[in-house]
Amino acid sequence: MDRLDNTVRPYAWGSTTAIPALLGTEPTGEPQAEMWMGAHPGAPSRTGRGTLDEVVAAAPERELGTATVARFGPRLPFLLKILAAGAPLSLQVHPDLDQARHGYADEERRGIPADAPHRNYKDANHKPELICALTEFDGLCGFRDPEQAAALLDGLGVPSLKPYADLLRAHPEDAALREFLTAVLTADPDDMSRTVTETAAACARLGGAYAPYADIAHHYPGDPGVLAALLLNHVRLQPGEALYLGAGVPHAYLSGLGVEIMANSDNVLRCGLTPKHVDVPELLRVVRFRAADPGVLRPEASPDGEEVYATPIDEFRLSRYVLADGAAPADLTRPAPQILLCTAGTVRAGDQELTPGASVYVPAGEKAEVSGTGTVFRATVRI
C-alpha cells in the first residue's frame, strides 16, 4: 500500500479555500481547483517507489492484475480527483469511444501538435465521469425539454431571445436543440454579446430559477455559452449525491467541492464559458441532442457497508465507506488496483493513518482493510 503525494492544479476557476479547508492547511490566496490521484502523465501521484505511472509501467500485471490489463491495457484505467469549483467551469461534452478513436487518428494523420490550442483529441479514449458532492454542489447537466427551455427564455422578456425561443418550438426535439445550439454558436459576435448582456441583466433582476445563469454571465460576460447554458438542467447536489456524465451530454460544474472519477482521458469539446477553442462542427457531431432528466445518483448500500455509485461503464467503480468507531475493519481486498481517499474523520488503511484529503494506492490483490471513524472513498475498476 503506497501513500500518495498528489498535485493540486491551480486552474483559474478553482476555489481558493475549499481544498485547504479539507486538508487543514492555510490558503495560499491562489486558486486550488483539482487534486489529482492516479497515474495520468499530466500530474501522476508520487509514491515511495516513484511516480505512480512509473510504478505501473514497471510491472503492469503485478500492479493492476491480469484481468485489468487484459481488459484495459497496461495502465491505470481511471483518474480520481478532488474538485473545488469557485467559479463555473467551461460548458463541455466528451466523445464516446468510437468518436475519440476516430478523432484522435484523424488529428494524428493531419499532424496537429498534441499541445496545439485547436486540438480536440489528446488521446484515443472516451471520458465518462462521475462527480460526488462533498458539500452542496451546483452544476448543469443535460438538455431541458425544448418547450420548457423556450418558456424559460420567454420569461426573461428579452426581445432578442424571441428567435431562439421560436427555434425551440419549430422543430422536433433533436432538431430544435441542434438548431438552437448552432444558431447561438455561429451568431454575429457583437449581436450575441448584446443579447447575452441583456439576458444577464434580466436573470439578475428576476433571480430564482434564473439566478445561476446570472452568476454564469457575471463570470463570462458576453459569452454565447450563457445562452447555451439556459438550455441545460440546473442541478443542486447535496453531500453524498452524485451525477454520472456519459458521452455527448453537455455539462458544466458551477460551484462546490466534490470527489470526481473518470476514465483516464483528456478529451473535451467545449460549447462556451471559456476563452479556449470551440470547434463548432466537431462539437455538433459529438453532442447527443436529446432532453433527459439529470439522474441524481444516491449510493446503493451492500451488507458489508460498502455504498456503491452505480454507473454503466467498466473503467471505474466509485464507492464509499462510512466507518464507525469500534466496528470491525472492512476488508477491501480485491484483484484489481484501488485508490482509497479519506474525506472525513481519521481512518486507518493497512498501516497508514489517513486524515481528510490523504490517499493511498493499493496494488491488485494486496490486503486492504480500513477502520476508524470517518469516510473513505474507494476508486477501482469493474472487472
Side-chain angles (χ1 to χ4, degrees):
M1 192 176 295
D2 297 276
R3 187 136 186 146
L4 297 180
D5 179 17
N6 303 305
T7 296
V8 176
R9 310 306 292 263
Y11 304 135
W13 50 261
S15 167
T16 59
T17 58
I19 288 178
L22 180 73
L23 300 178
T25 59
E26 286 295 318
T28 65
E30 299 298 319
Q32 298 186 42
E34 295 180 348
M35 185 169 78
W36 288 23
M37 291 156 281
H40 192 286
S45 299
R46 297 169 292 277
T47 78
R49 298 187 285 156
T51 61
L52 191 53
D53 57 338
E54 293 170 342
V55 169
V56 170
E61 291 202 352
R62 184 183 69 200
E63 298 294 331
L64 305 178
T66 55
T68 299
V69 173
R71 176 71 177 81
F72 304 109
R75 66 172 190 164
L76 191 67
F78 60 84
L79 176 63
L80 184 67
K81 300 179 180 179
I82 294 175
L83 182 146
L89 282 66
S90 63
L91 189 60
Q92 59 189 257
V93 296
H94 305 303
D96 64 27
L97 191 55
D98 285 343
Q99 290 166 338
R101 288 171 174 167
H102 174 81
Y104 179 76
D106 177 63
E107 291 187 333
E108 287 288 282
R109 179 184 56 78
R110 290 190 284 138
I112 299 176
D115 58 354
H118 62 288
R119 175 130 189 179
N120 295 314
Y121 296 95
K122 308 295 186 184
D123 53 67
N125 200 15
H126 62 166
K127 193 187 177 188
E129 60 190 42
L130 177 78
I131 183 77
C132 178
L134 294 178
T135 64
E136 195 170 74
F137 194 98
D138 277 32
L140 305 175
C141 179
F143 288 114
R144 301 175 187 270
D145 174 82
E147 178 57 41
Q148 293 175 351
L152 194 70
L153 296 180
D154 289 343
L156 287 166
V158 174
S160 56
L161 289 178
K162 185 178 184 303
Y164 296 103
D166 290 345
L167 273 179
L168 290 170
R169 293 189 170 104
H171 304 283
E173 179 180 285
D174 177 285
L177 296 170
R178 180 183 293 274
E179 290 295 325
F180 181 102
L181 190 60
T182 302
V184 165
L185 296 179
T186 58
D188 177 82
D190 291 336
D191 290 344
M192 177 53 60
S193 181
R194 285 191 290 271
T195 297
V196 171
T197 299
E198 293 169 0
T199 299
C203 287
R205 183 180 70 253
L206 293 169
Y210 295 104
Y213 305 97
D215 184 64
I216 291 169
H218 170 73
H219 286 94
Y220 298 97
D223 192 305
V226 173
L227 295 195
L230 283 160
L231 271 186
L232 307 186
N233 300 294
H234 173 243
V235 184
R236 176 163 292 166
L237 301 177
Q238 297 304 313
E241 295 180 334
L243 284 175
Y244 171 71
L245 300 157
V249 176
H251 61 278
Y253 302 145
L254 304 181
S255 64
L257 182 70
V259 173
E260 185 182 35
I261 190 169
M262 62 192 63
N264 202 354
S265 172
D266 266 345
N267 288 326
V268 175
L269 288 123
R270 295 174 177 86
C271 315
L273 311 182
T274 178
K276 295 182 179 180
H277 176 63
V278 177
D279 184 334
V280 175
E282 187 65 10
L283 173 71
L284 296 175
R285 191 178 74 84
V286 167
V287 171
R288 295 182 180 177
F289 290 99
R290 60 172 178 258
D293 183 275
V296 174
L297 295 176
R298 295 171 182 85
E300 301 172 3
S302 60
D304 65 358
E306 185 180 27
E307 299 177 344
V308 180
Y309 292 91
T311 62
I313 51 89
D314 297 334
E315 281 90 340
F316 61 76
R317 178 182 183 276
L318 186 71
S319 61
R320 70 175 184 177
Y321 288 81
V322 180
L323 304 169
D325 188 32
D331 186 357
L332 276 60
T333 308
R334 71 190 312 258
Q338 305 181 72
I339 292 177
L340 308 179
L341 165 67
C342 176
T343 59
T346 301
V347 174
R348 179 158 291 278
D351 61 355
Q352 304 277 345
E353 184 176 273
L354 305 182
T355 53
S359 56
V360 293
Y361 161 71
V362 185
E366 182 169 318
K367 182 73 172 177
E369 288 188 340
V370 293
S371 60
T373 305
T375 301
V376 173
F377 279 84
R378 176 199 215 185
T380 185
V381 299
R382 189 167 67 181
I383 54 173

